[in-house]
Amino acid sequence: MSKRPYQICSCCVMDTSDEDITFDENGVCMRCREYEKRILPEWNYGKGHEKELSDLIRKVKESGKGKKYDCILGLSGGLDSSYMLHLAVKEWGLRPFVFHIDAGWNLPVAEENIRKITGKLGVKLHVKKMDWDEMREMQLAWMRTGMESLDAPQDHAFIAVIDEYSQKLGVKYILNGFNIMTESVADPASWASDGGPTGDAVYLKDVIKKYCRIPIKKYTFTTGFKHKFWIPYVKGVKTIKPLNLVEFTKESMIKTLREEYDYVPYGQKHFEDLITKFLEGWWQPTRFGHDLRRVHLSGLVVTGQMSREEALKILEEPPLTEEESKELFREVAAKLQISEEELMQLHDMDQCTEKFKSHEKLFRIGIRVYEFLGLEKRIRR
């Protein structure tokens, strides 16, 4: 936790639990100011992008002529990717190669949502099932480090599999579900200062070498060079974020998916997955004092979908009830094949002070370049 005097933004609900946060003379944090100056003027709540979207869809379709698929879409069962699949197939008439990463942590709600949506839309779902013994060991390895950023094994796998498919299929467009409406604010960098970039194989391999107790041979890796340079600029595979060109709200997304596919909302963002629900709902708040809801709620506040007062009211209660936390704790311990005592020991261990090999500086430079070019739409600080 930060040792600074406590302060909370007068506009959103970000506070000094982010050690790097700054406020202006009116008590407004730098994220809100950046949103006003850099994000909102160009985005305009998705309004006025009709021609841009039409031209983009036309290019995707033209690139796929004579091919089975014209784009690639990763489907988690979460809100954003589900809504994007709905638009891509039903509204835009695209032919996506739809894949899902099964890292062993799926909750029933996610699998059921995926089944309903792909079934009604008539699209084939390609499932990449990760080796569970390796995934389990990698998750334990990250926990053994004492770091806060513990979802790297699953997140890196998603990036790596996208890179793998993009080269195998010969498809020139990847649909990315990121959108400003629900994800304008990124997790504070200070909350992940003990780790490395998720897309950096150098970082992952260093943690694996030091903390994994079995060989990791089947896991799929990628590199920042491959993902950010080789595939987009040499292979010509473009990652596009079409949801930023459409006018909608979080509530309208849920309404559409409910009516069209009997979609079941899963509560807090990322709660469609057992390990992320556990980490974000209990582990991070109790071990580090970081509540990811501040990030998600602040994004809804700055985009006008929720009042600051409503967000503060939500934060008065913990992300999970005591009973929910206990049940999740039991499930995760059993899934990891360790005792509840051992899992609690990992939770209570000293925080990480070790530095791991990584290309973090290059990733940071890349993000700044993307911001300068107008390609990065998320507020990263």
Side-chain angles (χ1 to χ4, degrees):
M1 289 289 289
S2 173
K3 295 181 180 179
R4 297 165 57 185
Y6 182 79
Q7 186 173 353
I8 184 170
C9 178
S10 60
C11 177
C12 70
V13 292
M14 293 304 296
D15 65 2
T16 42
S17 62
D18 171 16
E19 297 179 6
D20 298 332
I21 197 169
T22 58
F23 304 92
D24 64 16
E25 64 278 6
N26 296 313
V28 178
C29 78
M30 78 282 200
R31 289 182 179 82
C32 290
R33 291 306 185 202
E34 185 176 354
Y35 171 78
E36 293 172 357
K37 295 176 182 178
R38 183 171 71 85
I39 306 296
L40 182 57
E42 180 183 345
W43 172 54
N44 190 33
Y45 304 100
K47 301 174 184 177
H49 298 283
E50 291 82 6
K51 186 178 186 305
E52 185 180 351
L53 176 64
S54 176
D55 289 346
L56 182 62
I57 298 306
R58 175 180 51 78
K59 290 177 182 178
V60 174
K61 289 181 177 179
E62 288 177 353
S63 74
K65 286 182 178 178
K67 300 176 183 178
K68 188 173 183 179
Y69 306 103
D70 52 26
C71 55
I72 299 171
L73 190 155
L75 182 63
S76 68
L79 183 61
D80 301 324
S81 62
S82 297
Y83 189 64
M84 186 169 62
L85 178 60
H86 160 75
L87 291 179
V89 176
K90 191 163 185 177
E91 301 294 331
W92 303 334
L94 298 178
R95 297 175 289 110
F97 174 90
V98 181
F99 76 93
H100 172 73
I101 301 270
D102 182 357
W105 293 106
N106 282 347
L107 285 172
V109 64
E111 295 190 342
E112 186 64 11
N113 283 337
I114 289 171
R115 184 192 66 76
K116 290 175 182 176
I117 295 171
T118 54
K120 187 167 183 180
L121 288 174
V123 298
K124 182 178 180 180
L125 178 68
H126 302 81
V127 179
K128 173 77 172 185
K129 193 173 181 64
M130 307 299 291
D131 183 89
W132 172 244
D133 288 335
E134 289 191 357
M135 291 302 298
R136 182 182 70 83
E137 180 59 25
M138 288 177 70
Q139 190 62 68
L140 284 169
W142 258 257
M143 287 178 163
R144 292 175 190 133
T145 66
M147 287 192 291
E148 179 167 6
S149 301
L150 300 183
D151 50 4
Q154 195 168 207
D155 284 353
H156 185 90
F158 182 80
I159 298 170
V161 170
I162 287 178
D163 288 349
E164 183 179 69
Y165 282 140
S166 68
Q167 295 182 88
K168 283 183 179 179
L169 296 171
V171 174
K172 294 301 181 182
Y173 287 90
I174 298 169
L175 302 188
N176 185 306
F178 165 77
N179 64 92
I180 299 167
M181 187 60 79
T182 66
E183 302 177 294
S184 59
V185 180
D187 300 350
S190 68
W191 292 4
S193 59
D194 53 9
T198 300
D200 184 6
V202 171
Y203 160 60
L204 268 81
K205 290 179 178 180
D206 195 35
V207 176
I208 289 169
K209 179 181 178 181
K210 293 174 179 175
Y211 287 94
C212 279
R213 297 172 182 173
I214 65 171
I216 305 300
K217 298 179 178 180
K218 301 175 183 178
Y219 186 82
T220 304
F221 291 97
T222 190
T223 65
F225 175 79
K226 180 191 290 185
H227 187 70
K228 295 292 188 181
F229 178 76
W230 184 260
I231 290 175
Y233 296 108
V234 177
K235 294 295 185 179
V237 180
K238 297 178 175 62
T239 297
I240 59 176
K241 301 169 183 176
L243 291 185
N244 288 327
L245 306 178
V246 180
E247 185 180 358
F248 64 90
T249 64
K250 180 181 177 181
E251 287 305 312
S252 71
M253 292 167 77
I254 294 173
K255 183 175 184 292
T256 297
L257 293 175
R258 271 179 164 163
E259 292 175 350
E260 294 281 346
Y261 312 99
D262 192 26
Y263 180 89
V264 178
Y266 46 85
Q268 184 173 318
K269 193 174 182 66
H270 301 149
F271 272 22
E272 75 273 25
D273 178 280
L274 177 60
I275 191 65
T276 53
K277 184 174 183 178
F278 175 67
L279 294 174
E280 296 184 11
W282 184 79
W283 187 280
Q284 284 180 267
T286 58
R287 177 166 162 75
F288 299 97
H290 298 156
D291 189 341
L292 267 291
R293 293 179 302 168
R294 289 195 178 276
V295 174
H296 307 148
L297 293 172
S298 290
L300 296 178
V301 171
V302 298
T303 53
Q305 299 177 81
M306 177 182 288
S307 71
R308 183 173 181 272
E309 290 68 30
E310 289 173 313
L312 289 171
K313 186 69 175 176
I314 292 172
L315 291 170
E316 288 178 3
E317 299 295 331
L320 299 168
T321 66
E322 185 176 353
E323 187 53 44
E324 287 173 328
S325 298
K326 288 179 179 179
E327 179 59 30
L328 273 180
F329 192 91
R330 287 191 290 267
E331 288 183 32
V332 171
K335 188 81 174 173
L336 292 172
Q337 299 174 27
I338 61 175
S339 67
E340 292 180 36
E341 290 75 19
E342 186 176 351
L343 183 56
M344 186 58 78
Q345 287 172 3
L346 291 169
H347 174 273
D348 294 342
M349 69 183 291
D350 291 340
Q351 294 185 22
C352 180
T353 58
E354 185 174 2
K355 292 297 181 182
F356 298 94
K357 295 178 182 178
S358 77
H359 289 150
E360 183 175 3
K361 290 183 179 179
L362 290 176
F363 274 76
R364 286 182 179 178
I365 292 172
I367 289 172
R368 296 295 173 256
V369 171
Y370 272 45
E371 287 179 346
F372 178 76
L373 296 175
L375 302 175
E376 176 56 70
K377 305 299 184 184
R378 182 176 292 184
I379 304 169
R380 295 181 179 271
R381 290 292 183 272

